[in-house]
Amino acid sequence: MTTIVESRTASAELFVGAIGPSAEVVPSVDALRHHLEQRPDEFAVVLGAGVNLTAAVSLADTLRVTRPALSVILLRQRVDSSVLAEALRSGMREVVEERDLTGLSLAVRRSQSLYEALTAAHSGHQESAPGRLITVFSAKGGVGKTTVSTNLAVALSDAGHKVCLVDLDLAFGDVAITLQMSPVHTISEALAIVGDIGSEELRPLLTKYSANLSALLAPTSPELSEPIGRHLIGKILTTLKQSFDYIVVDTPPAFDEHVLQAFDESDLLLLLVTPVLPALKAAKVTLETFDLLNFPRDKSRIVLNGYNPKIGLSPSDIETALKSEIFVSIPTEPTEVPASMNRCEPIVTSHPRNPASQAFVALARKCVEVVPTAETDARPGLLVSANTDGRSLFRRRSKTS
Ligand SMILES: Nc1ncnc2c1ncn2[C@@H]1O[C@H](COP(=O)(O)OP(=O)(O)OP(=O)(O)O)[C@@H](O)[C@H]1O
Ligand SMILES: [Mg+2]
């Protein structure tokens, strides 16, 4: 957040307009000192042109020691070299002419980025985030990405983990229809968030599926996805890691900028392949692309979907061609899997004994083994505890709206 020291109402309104409505205004440096005591997360202070230079310098001198991640931005009617020199010596980050509202807005944004970088580096924020991100990907369409990601998310949540399913197939995503959720709120609303995006800001955008499973749904029409950039996706995914044990990401069949961002944030990448030659060729090219992107091989696993022992390529053919072991094989269930999709109910819920459901449960368990959360590490019985009542290991949960 930003605080502006400005006693002239008209100027204060202009500055708030440039910075954003979350900026707060105080009338004096004394009021600012008091205000900052209550605001440990403030990232910028803007000192209006009415603030006397000596008071501004003295304040900046103190803040650079007591609040090094907080930037002081000085506004002056005219910026000359003597003001600039004194400001920089005292530790102010920027000096901007007061009529340059664009310059002010950019200076505040730079301050925010600096604050985020400094506080993340200091607290090891990224590394200590509890959530693990699992991306389900294939460069080929129709190989089962949505089927696998939805069933994996449900299986993980049934096992007691707090899960968020993100539909990153922004133009044509069908997580909502697959799980029969109405897309009242979607990821495109994140574009309207002013200032920093935190868990509080994201919560209203999520759609609840069950007690442990929420979803961040794709926009309702393709053109709404266009303004969504890679940076925003990165911010959303890292923020979700603060609130969920697992984030499962469904993807479009393409290496678009959003998918590349999800790769960057992924702890585990499930590369789907079906037992047919074109899918195998796509998986091979994808693995080569991972190498070109410097994506660590040890973070990806091959998932064979639609396995049929009587037809198609054999698992050993696939392993030989991809020079990688198959992590989990999901059998083809030509009746039950499409039928469950048409009923908008994941097969792990509707038919828990079906071999495909059991494979999804096994996939969830193996994912937890490969990328445990801090909580599963501390409580190794978490997966098993769901079995103590004699019901299935991954309990069926009723849907809540
Ligand atoms: N193991 C399976 N057995 C039988 N049918 C399956 C299996 N997995 C997926 N399918 C069916 O294949 C079709 C495509 O699945 P899905 O929509 O999950 O693929 P996708 O990769 O997400 O597609 P897109 O690239 O278009 O997003 C669906 O009709 C689904 O029911
Ligand atoms: Mg899909």
Side-chain angles (χ1 to χ4, degrees), residues 140-147 169 253 305-306 330-334 337-338 341:
K140 269 246 161 295
V143 298
K145 295 179 291 298
T146 303
T147 306
D169 188 351
N305 185 34
I330 300 155
T332 185
E333 288 292 329
V337 172
M341 204 170 219

Side-chain angles (χ1 to χ4, degrees), residues 77-395:
Q77 279 173 352
R78 284 198 25 231
V79 178
D80 59 37
S81 56
S82 69
V83 169
L84 210 53
E86 201 160 353
L88 293 178
R89 261 197 304 274
S90 68
M92 289 182 206
R93 293 256 156 69
E94 312 238 3
V95 184
V96 181
E97 283 199 8
E98 71 168 344
R99 62 187 167 181
D100 180 6
L101 296 177
T102 310
L104 172 61
S105 156
L106 291 173
V108 169
R109 263 194 257 161
R110 280 192 292 273
S111 302
Q112 182 172 4
S113 306
L114 183 69
Y115 176 87
E116 284 168 2
L118 289 174
T119 49
H122 185 253
S123 64
H125 196 59
Q126 304 274 87
E127 289 68 34
S128 66
R132 301 281 185 235
L133 195 137
I134 303 171
T135 298
V136 178
F137 179 72
S138 164
K140 269 246 161 295
V143 298
K145 295 179 291 298
T146 303
T147 306
V148 171
S149 53
T150 49
N151 280 285
L152 172 62
V154 172
L156 284 168
S157 66
D158 281 357
H161 302 286
K162 223 173 146 212
V163 182
C164 184
L165 174 60
V166 177
D167 194 345
L168 218 51
D169 188 351
L170 296 182
F172 298 105
D174 34 32
V175 164
I177 197 167
T178 304
L179 292 180
Q180 205 179 8
M181 290 186 287
S182 97
V184 176
H185 299 287
T186 74
I187 197 168
S188 49
E189 284 167 51
L191 288 164
I193 297 175
V194 178
D196 196 18
I197 295 183
S199 302
E200 286 303 310
E201 286 73 24
L202 281 188
R203 191 167 304 138
L205 278 54
L206 302 177
T207 306
K208 197 126 179 114
Y209 178 74
S210 65
N212 275 352
L213 176 59
S214 298
L216 185 53
L217 300 173
T220 45
S221 67
E223 70 274 11
L224 292 174
S225 69
E226 277 164 25
I228 301 174
R230 179 175 180 158
H231 178 75
L232 181 62
I233 295 298
K235 186 71 199 153
I236 289 171
L237 295 178
T238 47
T239 303
L240 289 174
K241 287 184 187 178
Q242 308 302 318
S243 315
F244 291 91
D245 300 325
Y246 289 97
I247 297 99
V248 177
V249 180
D250 186 20
T251 55
F255 281 99
D256 65 18
E257 57 167 339
H258 308 121
V259 167
L260 292 178
Q261 188 64 41
F263 287 174
D264 279 355
E265 306 295 343
S266 291
D267 298 289
L268 181 62
L269 203 157
L270 301 178
L271 175 60
L272 291 201
V273 60
T274 50
V276 292
L277 269 178
L280 182 61
K281 181 178 150 249
K284 204 166 161 40
V285 174
T286 301
L287 286 174
E288 287 160 11
T289 310
F290 287 170
D291 291 342
L292 289 173
L293 294 169
N294 286 326
F295 186 80
R297 276 277 179 127
D298 63 347
K299 282 192 177 180
S300 66
R301 296 288 186 280
I302 307 292
V303 173
L304 171 59
N305 185 34
Y307 171 56
N308 182 339
K310 295 196 184 118
I311 45 173
L313 299 166
S314 74
S316 65
D317 288 342
I318 293 169
E319 289 182 331
T320 307
L322 299 180
K323 297 193 189 80
S324 305
E325 273 182 29
I326 291 171
F327 188 50
V328 170
S329 287
I330 300 155
T332 185
E333 288 292 329
T335 311
E336 274 316 328
V337 172
S340 75
M341 204 170 219
N342 288 336
R343 279 195 310 270
C344 307
E345 189 178 21
I347 190 167
V348 282
T349 308
S350 64
H351 294 78
R353 288 177 201 281
N354 182 285
S357 301
Q358 289 174 5
F360 289 127
V361 169
L363 177 64
R365 192 194 329 248
K366 288 191 79 168
C367 287
V368 173
E369 277 167 23
V370 175
V371 285
T373 60
E375 199 189 355
T376 31
D377 266 352
R379 288 199 291 138
L382 185 63
L383 274 170
V384 185
S385 63
N387 204 23
T388 52
D389 59 2
R391 289 189 285 162
S392 81
L393 188 61
F394 288 80
R395 281 198 299 252

